[in-house]
Amino acid sequence: MIIFIDLILHRPKVYRHVLSNAINPETVNIQHLLWKLVFAYLLLDSYRSLLLRRVDNKSSFYESSFLICLKVLISVLSANAAFILSFAIAAKCLLNEVSRRRDIMLGILISSYFKIFLLAMLVWEFPMSVIFIVDILILTSNTMALEVMTESSTTRCIAVCLIAHLVRFLVGQILEPTTFLTQLGSLVHLSSLFRIA
């Protein structure tokens, strides 16, 4: 439990501990772990996309559930493919990391553990701004993991992760334009909450 709290607080020593133990080829089958993480990542990302679609009531009346699932699947796969490609290009250009690509992608998948918090929306009703907060936490966690794994400067790691997440967001908006309006409305609602507090 203490390790999980330290991960939420973004402590570099804990990230170093978790990532070095998870990516140790002597104790873990890395290929097996990579496929499990990819499956969990895509599943949680699909759930995120469905949560954002739930707000758009018009689509649920006119489209069948099969068509909605197909659209979500295509959107999630293409957005994540763009994320991986842009992350690899940005890491090569800004960090000169070419040799440990698989380890770095595994670290990015592990550091995206904040997506698990979306499952709380199955039980409790949260505003859609929670999805925006989870996205920011994933971005900062990915930056910390990249900084720990590559030992590069913080600004370069922030730039790499920001570029990759921005490309992923833009590709997602091209395929799902109503999602942008939903997230913009959530952001406006979140800023009004901060103003009230």
Side-chain angles (χ1 to χ4, degrees), residues 80-123:
N80 284 307
F83 172 77
I84 290 170
L85 184 64
S86 61
F87 186 86
I89 292 170
K92 184 178 179 186
C93 294
L94 294 173
L95 302 177
N96 297 324
E97 279 294 329
V98 192
S99 60
R100 300 180 348 170
R101 282 182 290 201
R102 186 176 73 172
D103 292 344
I104 290 174
M105 284 312 298
L106 187 61
I108 292 299
L109 288 172
I110 291 170
S111 67
S112 298
Y113 62 90
F114 278 108
K115 283 189 183 283
I116 292 175
F117 290 133
L118 293 175
L119 293 178
M121 296 182 88
L122 286 170
V123 180

Side-chain angles (χ1 to χ4, degrees), residues 13-14 18 22-23 38 43-44 50 67 83 93 100 124 143 156 165 187 197:
K13 289 181 182 178
V14 177
V18 169
I23 304 177
V38 165
L43 189 67
L44 288 170
L50 285 172
L67 190 59
F83 172 77
C93 294
R100 300 180 348 170
W124 298 290
T143 302
R156 287 179 182 263
H165 281 274
L187 186 60

Side-chain angles (χ1 to χ4, degrees), residues 109-188:
L109 288 172
I110 291 170
S111 67
S112 298
Y113 62 90
F114 278 108
K115 283 189 183 283
I116 292 175
F117 290 133
L118 293 175
L119 293 178
M121 296 182 88
L122 286 170
V123 180
W124 298 290
E125 281 292 323
F126 289 109
M128 288 298 140
S129 58
V130 171
I131 296 174
F132 180 70
I133 293 169
V134 168
D135 288 343
I136 290 175
L137 290 173
I138 291 169
L139 174 67
T140 57
S141 180
N142 288 347
T143 302
M144 180 57 69
L146 187 63
E147 183 179 351
V148 165
M149 293 183 74
T150 62
E151 298 177 359
S152 298
S153 68
T154 305
T155 54
R156 287 179 182 263
C157 294
I158 289 172
V160 169
C161 290
L162 201 58
I163 288 168
H165 281 274
L166 185 64
V167 167
R168 181 180 177 279
F169 175 76
L170 291 175
V171 169
Q173 295 317 306
I174 290 170
L175 297 171
E176 292 286 334
T178 59
T179 307
F180 175 71
L181 298 174
T182 303
Q183 287 181 345
L184 185 64
S186 299
L187 186 60
V188 170

